[in-house]
């Protein structure tokens, strides 16, 4: 003997359906609960996608409005000096494509469709209705708060230690108003304290390099590393391929070590030879009587070019 359950299945049992298990005497539609619909709540959808990496910090040039990386030494667009605040010597700031960092982009707004002009009485009536609604919607004045008493004096925070700054990129080079020269000397006194097995060449007249641009690389040439230094110290094997960088604002000069193997030293005429190298990435201003020591015997001196040297007859 067989019968149909409330869900419509044919069952041999008379107490519970053989197919769905619904009581045979239950009302129709009271069967087993259906599975949750796809996409419903309560399911683990797996780990979410990783958050995007933060964008690199930037700094805006106050001279031309161009955007540079936060550690930039000079503006890539106009050459503005972020360290000394010296503007570029090439005239007014260049125009930066696109809107500036503070000028919002103006979107083109389509003109609204022509509406029928209203008479003066209709316009006055609308103004009175708006003013009446604003008066009714005005919120009640808040109750005055209780006086919490005098605020405690803030404790002065201790200044955070200054972190070491990594070497920065080479600033863009530009024409100088006045030419300079670098004298490359062989210094026997510097060679004597280097404790090197290299044979020191004989000291003689210096090599003179004319500088007409605001940036000059000190090092040894290398075709594989694309190193073509303006100040070639290739005879000194203790000088790195990209050893140091000279930069100028037209009146002053700075020296920066680029992470060389044997370091860059700055000393003054009449004083003992320097013993502490410059920190890589730190710019140091060069005075008139300062001398730069690199490699096993190389000494550099900066000065203004003579008229003969400017004409290539020095």
């Amino acid at each position: 003997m067989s019968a149909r359950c409330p869900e419509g299945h044919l069952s041999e049992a008379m107490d519970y359906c053989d197919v769905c298990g619904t009581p045979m005497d239950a009302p129709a539609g009271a069967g087993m609960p259906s599975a949750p619909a796809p996409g419903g709540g309560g399911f683990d959808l797996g780990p979410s996608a990783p958050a995007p990496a933060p964008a690199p910090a930037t700094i805006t040039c106050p001279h031309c409005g161009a955007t540079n990386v936060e550690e930039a030494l000079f503006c890539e667009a106009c050459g503005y000096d972020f360290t000394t605040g010296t503007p570029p010597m090439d005239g007014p700031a260049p125009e930066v494509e696109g809107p500036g960092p503070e000028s919002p982009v103006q979107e083109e707004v389509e003109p609204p469709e022509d509406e029928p002009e209203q008479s003066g009485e209709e316009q006055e009536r609308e103004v009175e209705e708006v003013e009446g609604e604003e008066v009714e919607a005005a919120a009640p004045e808040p109750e005055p708060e209780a006086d919490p008493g005098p605020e405690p004096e803030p404790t002065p925070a201790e200044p955070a230690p200054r972190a070491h700054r990594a070497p920065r990129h080479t600033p863009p080079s530009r024409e100088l108003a006045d030419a300079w020269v670098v004298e490359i000397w062989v210094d026997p006194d510097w060679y004597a304290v280097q404790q090197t097995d290299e044979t020191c060449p004989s000291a003689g007249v210096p090599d003179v390099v004319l500088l007409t641009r605001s940036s000059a690389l000190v090092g040894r040439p290398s075709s594989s590393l694309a190193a073509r230094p303006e100040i070639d110290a290739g005879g000194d094997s203790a000088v790195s391929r990209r050893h140091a960088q000279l930069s100028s604002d037209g009146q002053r000069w700075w020296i920066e070590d680029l992470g060389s193997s044997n370091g860059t030293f700055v000393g003054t005429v009449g004083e003992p030879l320097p013993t502490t190298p410059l920190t890589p990435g730190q710019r140091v201003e060069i005075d008139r009587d300062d001398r730069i020591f690199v490699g096993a015997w190389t000494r550099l001196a900066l000065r203004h070019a003579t008229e003969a040297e400017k004409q290539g007859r020095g």
Side-chain angles (χ1 to χ4, degrees):
M1 180 177 180
S2 61
R4 290 190 179 276
C5 74
E7 298 296 329
H9 304 127
L10 187 64
S11 173
E12 297 291 339
M14 304 305 295
D15 49 356
Y16 293 93
C17 178
D18 293 338
V19 178
C20 63
T22 302
M24 297 296 288
D25 56 354
M32 298 296 290
S34 60
F43 290 87
D44 186 6
L45 300 180
S48 60
T58 59
I59 184 174
T60 302
C61 176
H63 183 72
C64 69
T67 301
N68 296 261
V69 294
E70 185 177 16
E71 293 297 321
L73 184 61
F74 289 82
C75 176
E76 292 289 353
C78 67
Y80 177 86
D81 192 326
F82 290 114
T83 304
T84 62
T86 304
M89 300 180 59
D90 293 341
E95 296 182 359
V96 179
E97 295 183 359
E102 297 181 358
S103 58
V105 179
Q106 297 183 355
E107 299 181 355
E108 295 184 0
V109 180
E110 297 182 359
E113 297 181 357
D114 295 339
E115 297 181 357
E117 297 183 357
Q118 298 179 346
S119 62
E121 294 181 357
E122 293 178 348
Q123 293 179 357
E124 291 178 359
R125 189 182 308 110
E126 289 183 359
V127 171
E128 291 176 356
E129 291 176 356
V130 172
E131 291 178 351
E133 292 176 357
E134 292 178 352
V135 171
E136 293 178 358
E141 296 183 359
E143 298 181 359
E145 298 180 356
D147 187 4
E151 297 182 358
E153 296 182 358
T155 303
E158 296 182 358
R162 189 170 184 179
H164 170 67
R165 304 188 70 178
R168 305 186 221 187
H169 62 82
T170 301
S173 184
R174 59 185 185 275
E175 292 288 342
L176 293 175
D178 195 7
W180 294 69
V181 295
V182 172
E183 297 178 349
I184 307 176
W185 293 83
V186 174
D187 192 331
D189 294 333
W190 180 249
Y191 171 78
V193 299
Q194 296 308 302
Q195 299 179 357
T196 178
D197 295 333
E198 297 288 338
T199 302
C200 180
S202 59
V205 296
D207 293 331
V208 178
V209 178
L210 180 65
L211 301 179
T212 59
R213 302 190 67 83
S214 62
S215 181
L217 176 66
V218 180
R220 293 190 297 125
S222 172
S223 57
S224 61
L225 299 179
R228 293 180 289 273
E230 289 81 8
I231 303 173
D232 186 352
D236 192 338
S237 60
V239 175
S240 299
R241 301 294 184 183
R242 296 178 56 84
H243 195 104
Q245 187 77 31
L246 283 168
S247 57
S248 173
D249 62 357
Q251 298 178 350
R252 297 167 297 174
W253 283 90
W254 290 268
I255 184 69
E256 175 184 354
D257 185 87
L258 300 179
S260 61
S261 300
N262 297 315
T264 303
F265 301 77
V266 176
T268 305
V269 174
E271 295 183 0
L273 292 173
T275 57
T276 304
L278 302 181
T279 301
Q282 177 185 4
R283 289 202 314 160
V284 175
E285 185 175 353
I286 303 299
D287 293 331
R288 177 183 304 176
D289 296 330
D290 285 346
R291 299 294 181 264
I292 303 169
F293 298 88
V294 295
W297 58 74
T298 304
R299 182 186 72 194
L300 308 176
L302 269 165
R303 61 173 174 81
H304 281 284
T306 63
E307 292 298 328
E309 289 170 337
K310 294 178 183 179
Q311 299 174 7
R313 297 183 287 104

